């Protein structure tokens, strides 16, 4: 049994205001070409199909183009935390008639189970369990104790009532923040708020011990979590400057008979435009603008002590897609250290309070403090 593992497509996402539709279409074309060459039995997409719960028309068009490009293949899709269940499930019955299976919500009653799709090869059945993104509130009505204990307790309970055939090969699609004995996966700046590490949102990977492969989504960098066969495949496109070093790819998994470790390999994804970091003097940065780099998405760090006022205009004459311009000079660092000497020691609340005071010229009032605390609690900065 051979299948592709993809996730976190984030159709509709922008990069510092730049529309990524062109790159998404390049991705769709590459997946279709790889499917034609590899002939997978299934294509798994582990959540965050869209970047927003209310996707744009162009984002929805991209999903349509992807499904058309993969016509004839079995496609398994789960909803991620960015997806809207109502929008992603649109046309679900028709899609299933064309071997496209979508699961957007966890079970909603004690009698309901995870969506399961079974495919067969020469070694027998492979059971694919589709477990979309779960927040405890989604299941509180019929498992209040587990919901109060957090996501790990909820997932353990949901899986405990599944009749998993341990003599068959079993694969799960999931979109949660998994840790391995308290050790978190590597994350980047674009996903700092995906989980409360060590809190109620962290799920130990041991909950998936009955599965032969875990097709995980949620984390942008490809990596294993615990066993080799429990994997985040990462995003297909670089969605932030912090992902510059990532090698984006299609994960290909081949399963033989029960008990044998799956064979896992990757197919690199290549794009006309890359995301790059460039650092140096203004002269060095200008000289670096060759015919390839000048069209990429670039984060520029300038180290000159004296910077012309129109530096952005100057650089736009050499680079088409500037994401940001950072001034990193001795003088600039000294100014920062003088004005905000204790910045590194500040908590997120203190840092924002200092920023607010600097911009607004006053301290936050009680309502603003409460609003800030709600945001920090939501992203896991306070307990």
């Amino acid at each position: 049994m051979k299948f592709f593992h993809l996730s976190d497509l984030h159709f509709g996402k922008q990069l510092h205001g730049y529309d990524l539709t062109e790159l998404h279409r390049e991705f769709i074309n590459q997946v279709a070409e790889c499917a034609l060459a590899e002939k997978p039995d299934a294509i798994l997409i582990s959540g965050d199909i869209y970047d927003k719960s209310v996707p744009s028309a162009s984002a929805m068009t991209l999903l349509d183009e992807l499904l058309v490009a993969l016509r004839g293949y079995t496609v398994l899709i789960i909803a991620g935390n960015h997806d809207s269940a109502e929008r992603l499930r649109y046309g679900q019955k028709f899609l299933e008639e064309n071997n496209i299976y979508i699961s957007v919500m966890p079970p909603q009653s004690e009698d309901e189970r995870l969506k399961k799709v079974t495919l067969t090869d020469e070694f027998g059945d492979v059971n694919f369990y589709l477990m979309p993104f779960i927040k405890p509130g989604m299941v509180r009505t019929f498992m209040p104790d587990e919901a109060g204990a957090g996501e790990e307790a909820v997932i353990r309970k949901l899986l405990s009532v599944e009749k998993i055939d341990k003599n068959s090969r079993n694969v799960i699609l999931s979109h949660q923040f998994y840790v391995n004995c308290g050790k978190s996966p590597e994350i980047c700046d674009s996903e700092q708020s995906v989980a409360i590490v060590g809190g109620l949102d962290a799920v130990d990977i041991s909950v998936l011990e009955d599965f032969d492969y875990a097709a995980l989504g949620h984390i942008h960098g490809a990596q294993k979590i615990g066993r080799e066969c429990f994997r985040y495949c990462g995003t297909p496109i670089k969605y932030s400057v912090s992902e510059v070093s990532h090698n984006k790819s299609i994960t290909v998994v081949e399963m033989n008979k029960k008990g044998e470790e799956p064979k896992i390999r990757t197919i690199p994804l290549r794009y006309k435009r890359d995301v790059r970091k460039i650092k140096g003097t203004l002269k060095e940065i200008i000289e670096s603008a060759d015919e390839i780099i000048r069209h990429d998405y670039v984060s520029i760090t300038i180290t000159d002590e004296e910077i012309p006022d129109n530096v952005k205009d100057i650089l736009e004459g050499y680079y088409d897609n500037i994401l940001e311009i950072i001034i990193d000079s001795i003088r600039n660092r000294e100014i920062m250290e003088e004005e905000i000497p204790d910045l590194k020691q500040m908590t997120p609340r203190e840092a924002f309070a200092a920023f607010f005071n600097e911009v607004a010229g006053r301290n936050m009032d009680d309502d603003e403090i409460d609003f800030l605390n709600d945001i920090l609690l939501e992203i896991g900065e306070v307990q």
Side-chain angles (χ1 to χ4, degrees):
M1 182 73 63
K2 181 195 292 187
F3 55 85
F4 289 177
H5 172 196
L6 305 168
S7 77
D8 295 82
L9 311 185
H10 288 283
F11 287 154
K13 189 172 181 63
Q14 294 186 340
L15 178 60
H16 287 248
Y18 289 100
D19 189 330
L20 297 179
T21 298
E22 181 182 347
L23 292 190
H24 276 127
R25 287 205 167 101
E26 288 183 49
F27 157 69
I28 291 170
N29 291 337
Q30 290 181 77
V31 171
E33 290 171 2
C34 289
L36 187 62
E38 295 279 341
K39 296 178 173 55
D41 298 288
I43 297 170
L44 284 52
I45 309 178
S46 299
D48 281 356
I49 312 306
Y50 296 125
D51 188 56
K52 298 182 184 300
S53 58
V54 183
S56 64
S58 60
M60 297 177 73
T61 298
L62 285 169
L63 177 57
D64 179 64
E65 291 176 9
L66 175 64
L67 296 180
V68 169
L70 298 179
R71 184 171 45 204
Y73 299 96
T74 297
V75 181
L76 311 178
I77 299 173
I78 61 171
N81 58 300
H82 282 247
D83 296 312
S84 161
E86 291 76 14
R87 287 169 174 79
L88 195 56
R89 67 154 58 102
Y90 180 77
Q92 189 169 354
K93 291 183 179 179
F94 174 79
L95 293 173
E96 288 193 5
E97 292 175 0
N98 290 275
N99 295 321
I100 299 169
Y101 301 88
I102 300 177
S103 180
V104 298
M105 287 290 288
Q108 298 296 288
S109 70
E110 291 183 1
D111 299 327
E112 191 177 347
R113 297 292 178 262
L114 297 174
K115 182 184 287 291
K116 183 176 76 170
V117 178
T118 299
L119 303 178
T120 304
D121 64 8
E122 65 268 32
F123 300 109
D125 291 344
V126 179
N127 301 309
F128 294 87
Y129 290 82
L130 280 61
M131 186 168 68
F133 178 70
I134 298 172
K135 294 297 287 183
M138 296 175 177
V139 297
R140 184 168 286 119
T141 56
F142 70 98
M143 52 170 68
D145 293 340
E146 289 81 2
E151 292 179 16
E152 181 174 328
V154 168
I155 291 173
R156 285 191 185 278
K157 179 66 174 180
L158 289 175
L159 294 179
S160 71
V161 299
E162 293 287 341
K163 295 180 180 179
I164 299 176
D165 181 1
K166 296 183 181 180
N167 294 315
S168 295
R169 293 158 294 167
N170 298 291
V171 176
I172 189 166
L173 286 72
S174 181
H175 192 95
Q176 306 292 143
F177 185 82
Y178 287 99
V179 299
N180 179 34
C181 298
K183 183 179 179 181
S184 302
E186 295 180 5
I187 61 177
C188 53
D189 292 347
S190 57
E191 50 190 340
Q192 287 293 334
S193 63
V194 297
I196 305 173
V197 178
L200 295 180
D201 287 357
V203 180
D204 194 86
I205 196 67
S206 61
V207 302
L208 305 182
E209 61 186 357
D210 289 336
F211 294 93
D212 300 284
Y213 186 85
L216 307 179
H218 205 23
I219 301 301
H220 288 197
Q223 60 195 286
K224 69 175 183 177
I225 182 74
R227 295 166 53 189
E228 287 288 340
C229 57
F230 296 160
R231 303 194 67 82
Y232 288 106
C233 65
T235 59
I237 293 172
K238 297 176 182 180
Y239 291 128
S240 77
V241 175
S242 61
E243 297 177 44
V244 162
S245 62
H246 290 188
N247 296 313
K248 302 303 185 181
S249 62
I250 298 169
T251 298
V252 183
V253 182
E254 296 183 63
M255 304 183 77
N256 292 320
K257 63 183 179 181
K258 178 74 175 182
E260 291 186 6
E261 286 293 310
K263 297 178 181 178
I264 303 167
R265 57 189 171 87
T266 58
I267 301 174
L269 290 165
R270 300 284 185 254
Y271 298 96
K272 293 177 181 177
R273 293 196 182 109
D274 199 357
V275 178
R276 299 179 185 269
K277 285 183 177 180
I278 305 173
K279 183 175 182 177
T281 65
L282 182 58
K283 182 175 182 294
E284 290 169 340
I285 290 168
I286 290 173
E287 290 174 348
S288 298
D290 63 30
E291 280 306 311
I292 295 177
I293 295 176
R294 70 185 303 145
H295 303 301
D296 289 340
Y297 299 103
V298 294
S299 167
I300 296 174
T301 300
I302 304 174
T303 58
D304 295 272
E305 292 300 321
E306 298 293 334
I307 308 295
D309 293 337
N310 63 336
V311 66
K312 187 173 187 294
D313 294 333
I314 294 172
L315 289 172
E316 285 179 340
Y318 297 90
Y319 293 94
D320 295 339
N321 304 290
I322 298 175
L323 302 177
E324 58 187 3
I325 298 174
I326 301 168
I327 309 301
D328 183 19
S329 63
I330 296 174
R331 179 186 175 189
N332 201 54
R333 288 196 295 272
E334 288 175 347
I335 292 172
M336 291 294 292
E337 289 171 2
E338 289 173 4
E339 293 186 352
I340 317 177
D342 300 321
L343 182 60
K344 291 184 179 179
Q345 284 72 44
M346 287 182 179
T347 65
R349 183 193 287 109
E350 292 167 340
F352 185 82
F355 170 77
F356 185 94
N357 183 274
E358 179 70 21
V359 173
R362 63 174 178 84
N363 293 327
M364 291 186 290
D365 61 30
D366 290 342
D367 290 339
E368 290 162 342
I369 291 172
D370 289 342
F371 183 66
L372 173 62
N373 286 337
D374 288 343
I375 293 173
L376 293 175
L377 181 62
E378 183 177 344
I379 67 173
E381 292 292 354
V382 296
Q383 300 295 325

